[in-house]
Amino acid sequence: MNKNLKRAAKLLTAPAAALTLLLPVLAATATPAAAATDAYTFTNTDGTLNATGNGDGNQISVTPDGTNYTNWRLIRLGAPGTFNLANTSSGKCVYASQPAVQQSCGKEGEQWHFRPVDGKPNSFGIVRRDDSSGTEYCMDNRGGLHLWGILAQPNVCNGSASQQWTVPASKAAEARALALDYYADLCAKRTSTCSWTQRSEGQPEVLPRQPASSVWYNDTAGTMKQVFTTIYHSGWAQSFSVGLSSSVGVSAPVQAMISNQLTATQTYQSDETTVNGIAVDVPAGNYGWVDFAAVGKKVTGTWTFDTDNQPWTTDATVTVPVVNSAAGSTMYVARTSPQAPGSGTGGADVTPAALARTATGTMDVPAGARLTAHKNGVRVVGADGATIATVEPGTVTDTGGTAHRVVLTVAGNTVTQTVEGVTGDTVTGTITPPTFSLGGGTPAGIAASASAPASASAPASESGDEHDKCMAKKIGTSIVVGGAMGALTGPEGVAIGMLTGAFKGIAKGVLECGPNT
C-alpha cells in the first residue's frame, strides 16, 4: 500500500472523517428531453425528404411539393446521440444504401446522428460516421430526376446546401441535444475532433453535497465496522448554451484540455486506483454513509467540434473541482448520524441503466466458507462458524424517482437478486452499491487451511484495523473494474455486477489481508 493510500485508509476508518482524494470520471449530467409527439420533417433546397411507399425497399426521395410520406420519428439507440430514422406511415427505417431505401428497423446501416449547421439554428446534417477512417457521410440528393422526385443517398459530407436539412422549430432543441451527446462522446474519446477556448473563470464555491455511497443503518447493540464502496464522482460537470446538457460526462482527456487553460488553479484529475472501499465505525442506532463534498469554480468557454473541416460551436459552462482553494477543497466525507441523510442515495454522476428485475450469479467464496441467508442479505461464514462478512443489497431508484427494495436469496454459492415492485423483466434506473459489515470471523483460519494456503504476499500479522482497511480495498477494487461500477453488460449483468465483484473482493481479502487480530 503506497504512502498516500495508507494515509487515506487511516483517516477514513474514523466516523465523520474527511479525506481529499483524486477523483475518477464517470458519466454524466442530464439526458436530453424526451421526444415530443409531433413528427420531424426534413427540408433542403430541393424539397422534403420522404419515403415513396410503405414497403421494404421503397426508395427515399426529395420532392419539391412535399408529397409522399414526409413525417419521421426517431428511435433512440444505445450509443450517445444515435438513432434510427423511422417513417411514421410505414414504421420502417432509412437504410444507408445508394440510393437510400427504407427497411425494417434495427439493422446495421440504419444508425444516424445529427450535426448542427453553424449560423442556422434549425438546420442539421443527417450523418453517418465511418469510425475506421473517420469519414462522415451526410444524407444528400443523388441528383437527376426520378418518378418520385430526386432520390436521396448519403455522400461524403462537404457542407453543400443539399446536405443541410431544416427541421421544425419545435424539434431543433432535441436535435441539438442529440448532436451534443454524439459529438461530446466523440470528443471524450478522440480529442482531435474538438477544441476548447476559455473565456472566463469564476471564484471557488462550495457545491451541494451528494451522497456517494449506500446508506446503512446499524440496528445492533454495538458499534459495527461497515465497508462502503463509493460511487465515483468526477466532480466535473458541463452545461451547454440554450439550457442544454449532454448525457456524456467530462472525460479525463477533456478534463486535461480544460485544465491546461486554467489560471493558477489546481484541479482534481481521475485516479481510480486511489478510491476503494471505505471502512467506517457506525455506532449502534446510527446511520452511516459517505458524502461527496466538492468545491468548484465555474469556467465559461466555447467548444468547437470539427470532424471534416465543417466546424460547429457551442458555448458551455464547466464546473471544475479544485484543490486547496480559499473556499476549501473537494473531498469525501464519511458520515454517521442518528438521523437518516435528507437526500437520496443516487448521484448525478450515475447514469440510469436497464436493470433486470431478477438476476442470478455464482459468487466467489473463500475455501471452506459458505453462504447463508441473513435478513434480506447474505453472510459469508468461515469454516469455524464465525462470520467473515455480511452483505446487504443496495436499492434501485427508477427514472420516475421511485425507490425499490432489493432482496437476496441463497442456494449454495448462487445468489439471486430481486428488485421488488417491478412489473416487467427490467427497470430503468440506478442501483446503489451493496454494503458490508466485517463480522467477528477468523479469516486467518480460512487462509491457513490446507485447501487454501495463505498468499505468499500476505502479511504474517496485521492489526484488526489494518485488516479492515485491507478488506475495504479488496472489496472496493473488485466492485469497480476499469472505472465502472459492476463492469458487466446487459440488464442482468448490470444488476448483479457490483454484488459479484464484492464477493470476489471478500474472497481475495481472506487470502491476502492477513489475520484479523
Side-chain angles (χ1 to χ4, degrees):
M1 186 180 292
N2 63 45
K3 182 178 179 181
N4 291 335
L5 194 55
K6 280 186 176 180
R7 182 172 179 270
K10 184 175 182 180
L11 286 170
L12 285 169
T13 53
L19 177 66
T20 300
L21 295 175
L22 298 178
L23 301 177
V25 174
L26 200 81
T29 51
T31 55
T37 54
D38 53 316
Y40 274 87
T41 56
F42 301 98
T43 303
N44 68 13
T45 52
D46 292 308
T48 302
L49 192 73
N50 66 88
T52 57
N54 283 328
D56 261 4
N58 283 137
Q59 294 172 329
I60 308 300
S61 71
V62 183
T63 52
D65 57 2
T67 56
N68 303 324
Y69 303 100
T70 60
N71 289 337
W72 305 89
R73 65 183 180 89
L74 308 184
I75 301 174
R76 304 281 187 91
L77 303 176
T82 61
F83 53 83
N84 288 162
L85 192 58
N87 191 271
T88 59
S89 177
S90 66
K92 299 183 184 299
C93 290
V94 176
Y95 180 80
S97 54
Q98 300 277 348
V101 297
Q102 67 175 7
Q103 293 189 3
S104 298
C105 298
K107 297 180 179 180
E108 183 62 36
E110 296 176 346
Q111 298 83 11
W112 304 90
H113 63 270
F114 288 128
R115 181 175 60 190
V117 178
D118 250 10
K120 298 181 179 180
N122 297 347
S123 292
F124 299 85
I126 305 171
V127 186
R128 285 179 53 79
R129 179 182 176 83
D130 181 345
D131 284 331
S132 60
S133 66
T135 304
E136 292 193 329
Y137 297 86
C138 290
M139 184 61 72
D140 198 352
N141 298 342
R142 183 182 178 93
L145 292 177
H146 180 269
L147 177 63
W148 301 108
I150 301 172
L151 294 181
Q153 68 182 36
N155 292 325
V156 174
C157 297
N158 57 26
S160 64
S162 59
Q163 295 180 353
Q164 299 177 12
W165 301 91
T166 300
V167 304
S170 62
K171 309 301 273 183
E174 180 189 45
R176 192 170 180 85
L178 286 167
L180 281 170
D181 267 2
Y182 182 86
Y183 285 99
D185 181 61
L186 185 62
C187 172
K189 297 172 181 174
R190 304 179 186 181
T191 54
S192 62
T193 66
C194 57
S195 61
W196 166 259
T197 303
Q198 180 176 311
R199 293 202 308 272
S200 65
E201 294 180 28
Q203 294 300 311
E205 58 181 311
V206 178
L207 304 178
R209 288 187 178 183
Q210 300 182 61
S213 74
S214 300
V215 178
W216 182 76
Y217 181 70
N218 182 4
D219 61 354
T220 71
T223 297
M224 293 285 289
K225 181 79 70 176
Q226 185 71 18
V227 180
F228 296 91
T229 299
T230 56
I231 298 173
Y232 282 171
H233 287 267
S234 69
W236 294 74
Q238 185 168 212
S239 59
F240 295 91
S241 59
V242 203
L244 295 176
S245 294
S246 170
S247 64
V248 180
V250 188
S251 72
V254 171
Q255 289 178 28
M257 293 174 64
I258 296 170
S259 296
N260 288 339
Q261 297 183 35
L262 294 171
T263 58
T265 297
Q266 184 182 358
T267 63
Y268 279 95
Q269 300 297 317
S270 301
D271 183 2
E272 66 194 38
T273 62
T274 314
V275 182
N276 299 296
I278 298 175
V280 182
D281 291 315
V282 183
N286 271 244
Y287 294 88
W289 70 97
V290 179
D291 275 348
F292 178 74
V295 174
K297 61 164 54 177
K298 304 292 185 183
V299 179
T300 62
T302 300
W303 281 108
T304 299
F305 301 101
D306 187 2
T307 50
D308 51 12
N309 298 314
Q310 296 174 68
W312 63 280
T313 61
T314 182
D315 293 335
T317 299
V318 182
T319 301
V320 177
V322 300
V323 183
N324 298 331
S325 76
S329 185
T330 299
M331 64 181 65
Y332 283 108
V333 183
R335 300 287 304 279
T336 63
S337 172
Q339 285 78 43
S343 56
T345 55
D349 285 346
V350 182
T351 304
L355 305 164
R357 178 177 61 85
T358 302
T360 300
T362 300
M363 304 299 153
D364 285 1
V365 178
R370 69 184 188 280
L371 303 183
T372 64
H374 175 72
K375 297 182 178 179
N376 68 320
V378 177
R379 271 187 170 162
V380 184
V381 180
D384 59 358
T387 298
I388 298 172
T390 302
V391 181
E392 296 185 16
T395 58
V396 169
T397 302
D398 63 30
T399 51
T402 300
H404 298 267
R405 181 170 175 259
V406 179
V407 297
L408 306 178
T409 56
V410 184
N413 292 348
T414 299
V415 175
T416 298
Q417 176 176 281
T418 302
V419 183
E420 296 188 333
V422 175
T423 55
D425 292 334
T426 62
V427 56
T428 300
T430 57
I431 184 168
T432 62
T435 53
F436 310 87
S437 296
L438 300 179
T442 313
I446 302 295
S449 69
S451 58
S455 168
S457 62
S461 177
E462 291 190 26
S463 68
D465 188 51
E466 287 300 315
H467 170 271
D468 290 344
K469 297 171 193 174
C470 180
M471 289 290 288
K473 178 182 178 182
K474 298 300 179 186
I475 294 170
T477 53
S478 296
I479 288 177
V480 181
V481 180
M485 303 290 283
L488 296 177
T489 58
E492 183 166 331
V494 172
I496 206 166
M498 287 189 286
L499 194 69
T500 303
F503 278 95
K504 182 179 295 184
I506 292 170
K508 288 176 63 177
V510 166
L511 283 174
E512 300 175 18
C513 290
N516 184 12
T517 57

